[in-house]
Amino acid sequence: MSLRVEHPAPVLRRWKCELTIERNKRNRMQIKTILNRVQKFKSFVFGTVRWIEGASVPTLEVAIQPRINSRPVCSGCGCKRPGYDTLPERRFEFIPMWGNRVFFVYAPRRVECPDCGVRVERMPWVEGKHRLTEAYAWFLAGWAKRLSWKEVAEAFRTTWDHVFCSVERAVMWGREHQDLSGIEAIGVDEIAWQRGHRYLTLVYQIDGHCKRLLWIGEKRTVKTLIRFFRWFGKERGQALKFICSDMWKPYLKVIAKKAGQAIHILDRFHIMSHLSKAIDAVRAQEVKELKEKGYEPVLTKTRWLLLKRPENLTDKQEIRLADLLRYNLRSVRAYLLKEEFQFFWSYISPYWAGQFLDKWCTKTMRSRIDPMKKVARMLRRHRPLLLNWFRARKQFSSAIVEGFNTKAKLTTRKAYGFRTYLCG
Ligand SMILES: [Zn+2]
């Protein structure tokens, strides 16, 4: 009976083991080969590639080593310098492969530089103190042109901050390399993130022939926009013909001061989104009241009916909207006011547009719907700037004005990865 089990187990085990090593070697070879194709560094080589067990997302780590006999380069001056010591290993995130996160692992050397002192060496895959490799940052920034920043973060299992940081790096790079001559029209926009606690100010070029993101700054204060104009330069600022922005006070102030010669336009997109927000507030309040009074929930699931343009509704939604409009609800009256306001944009003459605006505001002020009254007051306050929209369109019927219309604005936003939020 002992004959049947004559050492097959150890033999088999050894054979299996060799096979695994061989297979691993082959796998490793393949990943290294790919990396050498896409990202080869002169003075560094890729070492072992390994799986990180137990990570929440499948993760690959690729070791990087300095090529034998290569001397480190000082990150300060870019010269080859004698080594000083070696720092602990650091991880740099690279472009994910087949849904796996990929990290480069490298223990940076420090150099003793006669000019710069003791410095970390230059690593060609990363810039400064970033944790994302250059390749990954460009990869994310590229996707951020097609998807919203949030979507990019989700798709590649990274954070909003990393995506933002990558876009910022791309814009910074652009700042140093782009041609800023001949810019006549800019748009100033803000985005909120972290649940509205933090803001960014974005400035685009919106000329007919060229739409692009020019500048990103933190917050949305007077200082923020002043920083933009300082960077942009006095001469270029004074050559601007159009500026498009929201009714945000700090922006209005700075624009009037720094580019008073330009026609300042409050864009349609922002104005309509103020109205949409007002409707949202009215509806939310009314839903609550109806519920408390125990009425049939006529307003539940009507948000999109009231916010979408009628031409974008499906047949079914159209029927439901018609049904809803029979009720004398504040939400319905607010909706009708907003739809009426759409006529404003169809005027050609600034004078008649102004007349319409005044009538609409008076009517809205009598509506006893507070959020709508708030918008009406705001529009009244900015009457001249609102009417600039018509002056600009009259004066320049060309592609330039297209930059201000909702559709173009939306495309620009989308092109730079904004969530296209609701508009009129
Ligand atoms: Zn140096």
Side-chain angles (χ1 to χ4, degrees):
M1 354 178 250
S2 62
L3 273 175
R4 272 201 299 151
V5 281
E6 193 143 277
H7 312 304
V11 172
L12 195 68
R13 210 181 304 136
R14 202 171 62 224
W15 180 69
K16 254 183 166 173
C17 184
E18 270 166 12
L19 198 73
T20 316
I21 290 171
E22 197 47 44
R23 198 189 293 138
N24 279 347
K25 248 191 211 161
R26 260 205 320 269
N27 290 347
R28 209 153 61 207
M29 273 304 291
Q30 281 167 356
I31 288 172
K32 268 206 255 182
T33 314
I34 293 167
L35 282 169
N36 277 323
R37 273 283 178 94
V38 298
Q39 185 92 78
K40 201 176 164 92
F41 306 115
K42 223 173 103 195
S43 316
F44 300 86
V45 290
F46 292 112
T48 41
V49 178
R50 61 191 196 102
W51 280 107
I52 302 307
E53 300 296 342
S56 56
V57 178
T59 303
L60 279 174
E61 276 188 0
V62 183
I64 294 185
Q65 280 130 23
R67 206 175 279 282
I68 294 166
N69 295 331
S70 81
R71 284 206 300 161
V73 172
C74 169
S75 60
C77 58
C79 297
K80 282 188 180 167
R81 299 296 187 200
Y84 178 77
D85 63 359
T86 303
L87 296 174
E89 274 183 351
R90 273 205 250 160
R91 281 152 53 99
F92 306 91
E93 191 159 6
F94 188 65
I95 304 167
M97 278 184 202
W98 306 292
N100 306 302
R101 294 179 82 181
V102 178
F103 287 90
F104 289 166
V105 181
Y106 180 67
R109 295 166 290 177
R110 287 201 298 178
V111 297
E112 193 165 22
C113 175
D115 298 330
C116 319
V118 174
R119 281 279 196 130
V120 179
E121 69 174 313
R122 175 179 290 175
M123 290 166 275
W125 56 86
V126 73
E127 207 170 86
K129 290 201 167 103
H130 289 292
R131 279 181 304 156
L132 299 188
T133 58
E134 284 297 288
Y136 191 32
W138 279 105
F139 175 86
L140 290 176
W143 277 101
K145 282 190 170 190
R146 307 172 132 222
L147 304 172
S148 81
W149 297 358
K150 200 171 150 231
E151 282 166 331
V152 176
E154 279 164 6
F156 300 107
R157 295 175 181 178
T158 181
T159 61
W160 194 97
D161 284 54
H162 277 166
V163 179
F164 162 62
C165 193
S166 305
V167 173
E168 197 188 25
R169 274 157 80 177
V171 171
M172 294 265 272
W173 185 91
R175 264 189 219 181
E176 282 156 29
H177 296 82
Q178 76 197 178
D179 175 21
L180 293 176
S181 60
I183 298 178
E184 293 193 329
I186 59 167
V188 182
D189 200 3
E190 90 255 348
I191 51 167
W193 51 297
Q194 291 194 345
R195 291 171 191 268
H197 292 310
R198 288 171 77 176
Y199 286 90
L200 297 172
T201 295
L202 301 115
V203 183
Y204 306 92
Q205 177 179 6
I206 50 171
D207 281 303
H209 62 279
C210 180
K211 299 191 201 318
R212 59 185 170 166
L213 183 56
L214 287 174
W215 191 87
I216 301 183
E218 264 184 53
K219 298 189 187 163
R220 49 167 186 171
T221 59
V222 166
K223 271 190 191 156
T224 313
L225 202 56
I226 283 182
R227 276 213 315 276
F228 162 75
F229 278 105
R230 207 170 286 154
W231 165 77
F232 195 55
K234 202 172 171 186
E235 223 166 87
R236 276 192 286 264
Q238 286 173 351
L240 288 171
K241 288 191 176 150
F242 306 97
I243 301 178
C244 184
S245 81
D246 191 9
M247 290 172 274
W248 178 243
K249 218 181 198 168
Y251 291 166
L252 302 184
K253 229 167 104 183
V254 177
I255 290 169
K257 201 173 149 212
K258 294 283 180 186
Q261 82 293 339
I263 298 187
H264 187 179
I265 298 153
L266 298 179
D267 69 293
R268 182 174 171 170
F269 177 86
H270 278 112
I271 290 160
M272 293 321 282
S273 83
H274 282 292
L275 281 166
S276 293
K277 274 182 207 149
I279 290 182
D280 239 3
V282 175
R283 203 193 71 96
Q285 177 63 27
E286 205 163 34
V287 166
K288 222 174 105 196
E289 284 170 20
L290 287 177
K291 215 179 236 168
E292 276 165 13
K293 289 179 191 158
Y295 283 120
E296 177 200 346
V298 270
L299 273 175
T300 38
K301 292 187 181 162
T302 54
R303 185 163 178 253
W304 294 102
L305 296 182
L306 295 175
L307 291 180
K308 262 174 141 180
R309 291 302 318 274
E311 59 266 31
N312 297 335
L313 294 174
T314 63
D315 290 347
K316 214 172 141 194
Q317 285 174 323
E318 229 170 80
I319 296 168
R320 287 196 55 208
L321 179 67
D323 190 43
L324 182 67
L325 294 181
R326 291 186 298 124
Y327 295 91
N328 183 26
L329 292 166
R330 264 177 293 140
S331 311
V332 169
R333 279 184 285 135
Y335 168 79
L336 294 174
L337 281 170
K338 181 192 136 198
E339 279 308 306
E340 194 185 331
F341 193 81
Q342 293 289 357
F343 284 111
F344 179 64
W345 308 108
S346 62
Y347 281 90
I348 305 282
S349 131
Y351 174 80
W352 290 110
Q355 296 291 309
F356 175 88
L357 180 67
D358 297 341
K359 264 191 218 145
W360 186 89
C361 287
T362 312
K363 191 172 172 185
T364 306
M365 291 308 287
R366 286 184 192 144
S367 70
R368 282 176 288 160
I369 306 172
D370 284 333
M372 296 300 283
K373 281 165 75 179
K374 217 174 114 193
V375 177
R377 270 197 294 271
M378 187 170 63
L379 295 178
R380 265 185 184 166
R381 265 204 312 277
H382 298 98
R383 192 179 188 273
L385 292 185
L386 271 168
L387 296 182
N388 271 348
W389 196 82
F390 299 93
R391 292 199 187 97
R393 197 172 58 177
K394 217 174 164 188
Q395 204 176 335
F396 301 87
S397 54
S398 66
I400 291 182
V401 182
E402 285 302 300
F404 306 128
N405 92 32
T406 317
K407 212 174 157 198
K409 184 85 183 160
L410 274 178
T411 333
T412 325
R413 277 175 169 260
K414 216 171 165 194
Y416 290 102
F418 288 100
R419 246 171 95 102
T420 48
Y421 57 84
L422 222 76
C423 73

